[in-house]
Amino acid sequence: MSMDRSDVHHAADTGEDHPHPKHELGYYAKRIYAIRDLLIEKGVITQDDIQRQIDYQEARSPANGAQLVARAWADPAFKKRLIDDPKATCAEMGIDATSINEFVVLENTERVRHLVVCTLCSCYPRPILGRPPDWYKSLNYRSRAVNDPRGVMREFGQELPDEVEIRVHDSTADMRYLVLPLRPRGTEGMSEAELAKLVTRDSMIGVVDPLAPQ
Amino acid sequence: MARRHHDMGGLPAGPVDQTEHALSDWEILADAVNQALGEKKIKRTDEMRRAREDMDSELYRSLSYYERWIASMETILTEKKILTREEIDRKVAAFEKKWGEP
Amino acid sequence: MEGPRFKPGERVRVRAEDRPGHIRTPFYVRGKTGWIERVYGDFLNPESLAYGKDGLPEKTLYLVGFDQKEVWGQYLAGSQDKLFVDIYDHWLEPA
């Protein structure tokens, strides 16, 4: 997700040197530039406020979550703390989760898998995982994850036997859910950095298990 | 009981499209302006959600994610009398002149 | 505020209510019976915050569990599968 900051900064002022001419922007795209300029002119927010939010979001990525998961796999005491007090435990790892109201970690086991959705909106643990993927926000995922979780998982390449219980969480309120995936077999002795590479974004939403070691 | 357009859990729907698109500048800007307004406590996510839920249903389904965000931001900012639609229209018209709208 | 109205393990029914405006209880779960899985504590009421009001009084938020087969008339495979929804106190009644 690359982003030329200078372009956002000056996008409303100059249409040159941009791959997509500004006049081709859609109705709402034009309006956000207008809203931005008016809010700054009226002193409601500043360009710095906006830039700070861009920088904050760019610093968030599934790598943060993967770091938490790998540490939890490697260190049982850390895992316990992560489940008991996720926000404080994030701070311990230098991950700022203070903007989340409440943060809940759902631990997968051999018998149980969790899947997270927000049917009413698109709530997502952004401070931990960054902006949500397009599919998570899609109307089809929001419609089907609650009553066809196994079908959705199958589309992502995961087929689970009936004996494994699926627990879908619809995050309708202020709780933000992160799935702590099951540590793959054959990873004994791997370092935290190696383990973190197996932890995909989708495995922390719960549609699939983490990658298998090579 | 009536089901409103945003409340779609359990409705029949097709496969989940896993294609990702790289965010455009205007989408990143919409995201950041929204977060900045939240940080300043000028609006709450709850209000933005209400505005999206009250949109015309056809429009809700036809707009992209960040288009819905922009539409709801405009609703809340005008409702709070921070901006007016006319101001936004005038600004857009000025951009179009500058950007060379055909 | 007094303590929470429900305890973990208690059976609850979600109100089959229809009210206009912003609500946080999905359509599919209204009128369904489940159990209190967890008590999350008291939170500002989003159904008031959505209109620029103060969100008071706070409402207790529960994690409510449902058997998938209870929620959907037809649910294929995975007979033990469950669905969990965050539901505010005023949407719940004893079952």
Side-chain angles (χ1 to χ4, degrees), chain A residues 32-105:
Chain A
I32 189 58
Y33 287 108
I35 291 170
R36 184 269 311 263
D37 281 11
L38 288 165
L39 289 172
I40 293 174
E41 281 166 25
K42 289 171 184 251
V44 179
I45 53 174
T46 65
Q47 180 57 42
D48 279 352
D49 294 329
I50 296 170
Q51 192 58 52
R52 224 168 344 97
Q53 295 299 335
I54 292 172
D55 294 344
Y56 177 86
Q57 278 306 321
E58 298 220 325
R60 309 283 129 182
S61 82
N64 292 308
Q67 206 190 339
L68 289 172
V69 170
R71 172 70 57 89
W73 285 347
D75 178 351
F78 180 86
K79 180 167 95 177
K80 185 170 185 314
R81 288 203 300 285
L82 181 64
I83 293 167
D84 292 346
D85 192 352
K87 277 165 97 166
T89 313
C90 281
E92 204 180 293
M93 294 283 280
I95 298 170
D96 173 19
T98 47
S99 64
I100 308 189
N101 246 342
E102 293 293 328
F103 178 26
V104 177
V105 174

Side-chain angles (χ1 to χ4, degrees), chain A residues 97-166:
Chain A
T98 47
S99 64
I100 308 189
N101 246 342
E102 293 293 328
F103 178 26
V104 177
V105 174
L106 305 167
E107 186 187 7
N108 279 354
T109 66
E110 293 287 350
R111 278 195 45 253
V112 174
R113 298 291 198 288
H114 295 86
L115 177 72
V116 180
V117 62
C118 172
T119 60
L120 300 178
C121 182
S122 53
C123 301
Y124 189 74
R126 289 166 60 120
I128 315 296
L129 299 182
R131 300 185 189 96
D134 286 331
W135 63 258
Y136 183 85
K137 304 180 286 191
S138 72
L139 307 188
N140 286 1
Y141 183 71
R142 286 168 54 193
S143 301
R144 283 178 56 220
V146 278
N147 69 338
D148 185 21
R150 288 174 185 268
V152 170
M153 287 174 163
R154 202 171 299 125
E155 287 171 23
F156 280 80
Q158 173 131 304
E159 180 87 49
L160 290 171
D162 282 1
E163 308 84 78
V164 173
E165 177 183 318
I166 311 240

Side-chain angles (χ1 to χ4, degrees), chain B residues 5-18:
Chain B
H5 59 235
H6 68 287
D7 190 352
M8 58 190 72
L11 286 179
V16 176
D17 181 355
Q18 295 171 42

Side-chain angles (χ1 to χ4, degrees), chain A residues 23-37:
Chain A
H23 70 262
E24 287 179 8
L25 285 174
Y27 175 85
Y28 290 98
K30 285 176 181 163
R31 292 184 90 74
I32 189 58
Y33 287 108
I35 291 170
R36 184 269 311 263
D37 281 11

